Structure formats: structure tokens, C-alpha cells
């Protein structure tokens, strides 16, 4: 089991944005937010880079879940592997622990491991986005939905590693959350 979790962390270390940036001759760690995720890749290199990065990072999560299903591991062990791949994405050892923020990888994991909770997250994201006009704030609503539905469906002991991942992702996004909250809810100075 430890080997599976370590492998999951190592899979997380494959940062799609870094490779796309290298292909384009740009170090995304030196651009804008310095984040090696889909949002920064898209902002610097355009929509195709966003899409490729998102799909690459989501695929990491899906691959880890698939490996767990292939070997018939218990769901909670696969959920721990999900946390490990997210940690590998966010804190890659070979890039001095400066990676992405984990959203796409989390989506890949939940889409494959807990499709019902993924659907709840997607519905909440789409419901709140027109009001918030912010993917960051809508993400918070969808994460809250994941946690609440885990409790309601009484699967939180199994999804606990993913709830821990949510907490780490939210902490990593704190400046984005503050900025989005201020731009959406603070009244302009008179």
C-alpha cells in the first residue's frame, strides 16, 4: 500500500504546465502568479495551454484512481492515494515544492472515484457562478457541497483524505479567495 501511495505522489510530480511551458520556452514559475497550473498556463500561453494543462493534471488523478480500482484496493486507500497525487502536484520535490494548486487533479480524482459527489460539486459550481462571477468563489461553494454531501451520504470516513485535500487546496488559494471576495463584495470607494 505504501508503494501505491508513494507512486501516487510521484505521479503528482508530473506537472503538465511545466512541460508545456518548457515546450514553449517559458518558465511559468517566473510568470504572473508563478503557479504551475492550468489557470496560469492559460493566462500566459493561451486557451490551448489551459485546456492541455487541465486535462493533463486531471488525468493524473484519474490514473491514480484507475490503478487503485485495477488492483481492487479499498476505496479509502484509493482516497489516500488521491491525497498523495494532489500533494505531489502541489509540492513536487524536484521543483523545490513549488507546483500547482490542485484543482484539476482533484476534479480528476472525484470524477472517477466519487461521481455522485463530483456531480454535486459541478451543480453547485454552475449554480453559484452566475451570482459570484468568480470561479474561485464558486469553487468554495462546490467544495462545501462535497463536504456536506459526504456527511449526508455518510461516506465521510472514506472521503476524509479528499476533505483534507480540499482544506490544503483552499489554504493554497487564500490570496485568490481574498482577491475574488474583495472584488465581488467590497463596495467601490466613494
Amino acid at each position: 500500500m505504501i508503494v501505491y501511495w508513494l507512486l501516487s505522489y510521484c505521479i503528482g510530480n508530473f506537472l503538465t504546465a511545466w512541460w508545456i511551458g518548457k515546450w514553449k520556452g517559458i518558465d511559468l514559475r517566473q510568470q504572473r502568479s508563478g503557479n504551475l497550473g492550468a489557470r496560469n498556463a492559460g493566462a500566459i500561453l493561451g486557451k490551448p495551454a489551459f485546456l492541455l494543462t487541465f486535462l493533463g493534471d486531471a488525468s493524473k488523478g484519474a490514473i491514480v484512481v484507475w490503478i487503485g480500482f485495477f488492483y481492487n484496493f479499498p476505496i479509502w486507500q484509493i482516497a489516500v492515494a488521491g491525497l498523495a497525487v494532489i500533494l505531489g502536484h502541489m509540492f513536487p520535490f524536484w521543483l523545490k515544492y513549488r507546483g500547482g494548486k490542485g484543482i484539476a487533479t482533484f476534479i480528476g480524482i472525484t470524477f472517477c472515484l466519487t461521481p455522485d459527489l463530483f456531480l454535486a460539486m459541478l451543480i453547485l459550481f454552475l449554480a453559484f457562478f452566475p451570482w459570484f462571477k468568480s470561479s474561485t468563489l464558486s469553487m468554495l461553494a462546490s467544495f462545501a457541497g462535497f463536504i456536506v454531501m459526504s456527511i449526508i451520504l455518510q461516506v465521510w470516513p472514506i472521503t476524509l483524505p479528499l476533505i483534507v485535500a480540499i482544506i490544503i487546496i483552499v489554504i493554497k488559494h487564500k490570496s485568490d479567495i481574498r482577491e475574488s471576495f474583495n472584488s465581488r463584495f467590497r463596495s467601490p470607494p466613494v
Side-chain angles (χ1 to χ4, degrees):
M1 202 46 49
I2 300 293
V3 172
Y4 172 48
W5 293 337
L6 287 173
L7 175 65
S8 299
Y9 173 80
C10 290
I11 290 171
N13 272 248
F14 182 88
L15 288 140
T16 313
W18 190 86
W19 291 103
I20 291 172
K22 190 155 185 67
W23 176 49
K24 295 283 190 177
I26 295 174
D27 185 352
L28 291 172
R29 294 172 299 170
Q30 307 301 322
Q31 305 293 322
R32 276 192 70 199
S33 68
N35 177 41
L36 288 172
R39 188 184 219 171
N40 200 39
I44 303 301
L45 301 171
K47 288 180 183 175
F50 171 86
L51 186 61
L52 284 172
T53 302
F54 179 85
L55 292 174
D57 291 347
S59 294
K60 293 189 296 194
I63 287 167
V64 164
V65 171
W66 180 83
I67 291 169
F69 284 153
F70 182 81
Y71 287 103
N72 207 24
F73 293 143
I75 299 294
W76 73 268
Q77 291 178 350
I78 299 172
V80 171
L83 173 60
V85 73
I86 288 169
L87 291 174
H89 175 78
M90 295 171 83
F91 308 105
F93 67 88
W94 66 286
L95 289 173
K96 299 181 182 175
Y97 304 99
R98 285 185 57 211
K101 293 185 180 178
I103 297 288
T105 306
F106 185 85
I107 288 171
I109 294 161
T110 56
F111 180 78
C112 295
L113 185 64
T114 58
D116 49 349
L117 296 177
F118 171 80
L119 183 60
M121 284 176 38
L122 180 62
I123 289 168
L124 282 170
F125 183 89
L126 295 174
F128 277 92
F129 189 79
W131 184 59
F132 284 145
K133 294 180 179 37
S134 161
S135 57
T136 302
L137 296 179
S138 301
M139 170 200 72
L140 286 178
S142 67
F143 280 163
F146 182 93
I147 295 168
V148 169
M149 289 303 293
S150 290
I151 294 167
I152 289 171
L153 297 174
Q154 298 181 349
V155 294
W156 67 266
I158 294 169
T159 61
L160 187 59
L162 299 179
I163 293 170
V164 170
I166 286 173
I167 292 166
I168 296 168
I169 290 169
V170 168
I171 290 168
K172 191 95 164 166
H173 277 85
K174 67 183 177 192
S175 61
D176 297 329
I177 293 167
R178 191 179 308 112
E179 182 182 315
S180 296
F181 186 84
N182 288 340
S183 66
R184 178 66 180 103
F185 296 108
R186 281 249 170 100
S187 23
V190 179

